[in-house]
Amino acid sequence: QYQFGDEVYSKVNAAISVPDTSSALVEAGDELSGSPETGEDVTDIESIPVDYPDLSIDFAELKSENPDFVGVLYIPALDLCYPMTHSHDNDEYLNTLFTGESSIYGCIFLEKDAREDFRSLNSFIYGHNMKNGTMFGSLKRFERNEGLCATNPYIYIYTENRVYKYHIFSYYQCPKDDPLYQGV
């Protein structure tokens, strides 16, 4: 199952090209305007230069492969790069690959109640903690190497219209019976 999942995501990720060293400059006022709580335009934000890696993503191809595709999750410090879907019930992508095939590998997916434009107050992204270090299994590398996050402490989410840049400020492993999962 792991080998099959690796092969599938290798083919899917052919639609995503990650450059080695290049980056682009985006004006935050143009690309990242809006209030996360209301989605209303924010007029008092000045254009702030925001650097992000210039990924080449074939959004049309990924959307044709899976209509639930919402964006690409990229964590450079971990070499983690996966397409994300938006779940309808938080169960469908636990054992379904991005391509729709059944597999324990599953898919990286956005929580069912989150807005696809990532303007919810909290946008939970789920993925398996794979034993082979793929998907969110690679997050354990932050715990094993505390300096790793300092090399590039950002998570990027690429959508068709925006690039979101999040600063990593904490890392926490929680078991599936943790109150965090239960919404308590």
Side-chain angles (χ1 to χ4, degrees):
Q1 291 256 351
Y2 275 71
Q3 182 179 358
F4 176 66
D6 286 343
E7 290 169 3
V8 167
Y9 281 106
S10 178
K11 290 176 187 172
V12 168
N13 281 346
I16 305 167
S17 175
V18 179
D20 290 331
T21 57
S22 66
S23 67
L25 189 62
V26 173
E27 294 298 317
D30 294 337
E31 294 293 327
L32 301 176
S33 65
S35 165
E37 292 81 17
T38 65
E40 297 172 1
D41 285 337
V42 176
T43 56
D44 62 348
I45 292 180
E46 304 233 0
S47 291
I48 302 168
V50 178
D51 288 322
Y52 61 87
D54 188 19
L55 270 59
S56 174
I57 302 167
D58 189 338
F59 286 96
E61 181 179 334
L62 292 167
K63 192 73 168 176
S64 72
E65 182 79 35
N66 186 326
D68 291 335
F69 168 69
V70 292
V72 173
L73 175 69
Y74 180 48
I75 306 176
L78 301 175
D79 295 321
L80 185 148
C81 186
Y82 284 96
M84 289 186 301
T85 58
H86 189 200
S87 176
H88 297 102
D89 64 9
N90 289 349
D91 287 328
E92 68 183 307
Y93 286 109
L94 288 176
N95 295 304
T96 303
L97 298 171
F98 182 82
T99 55
E101 296 156 294
S102 180
S103 171
I104 60 168
Y105 212 95
C107 184
I108 302 288
F109 64 92
L110 182 61
E111 200 269 335
K112 70 177 180 66
D113 294 325
R115 292 177 48 178
E116 288 187 8
D117 62 4
F118 293 89
R119 290 181 182 229
S120 299
L121 188 55
N122 291 302
S123 297
F124 289 96
I125 299 171
Y126 296 105
H128 286 299
N129 179 4
M130 303 295 283
K131 291 179 184 176
N132 67 355
T134 58
M135 287 203 169
F136 287 168
S138 64
L139 293 173
K140 291 179 275 199
R141 291 175 47 208
F142 283 137
E143 194 171 75
R144 289 192 306 259
N145 181 355
E146 292 181 16
L148 182 62
C149 190
T151 63
N152 193 339
Y154 299 103
I155 293 172
Y156 301 91
I157 295 176
Y158 294 77
T159 67
E160 198 160 11
N161 300 314
R162 290 183 168 78
V163 175
Y164 297 93
K165 180 179 180 179
Y166 300 95
H167 188 264
I168 302 168
F169 65 90
S170 178
Y171 170 76
Y172 170 71
Q173 281 193 56
C174 62
K176 65 181 178 181
D177 61 346
D178 191 286
L180 181 64
Y181 274 131
Q182 310 307 318
V184 177

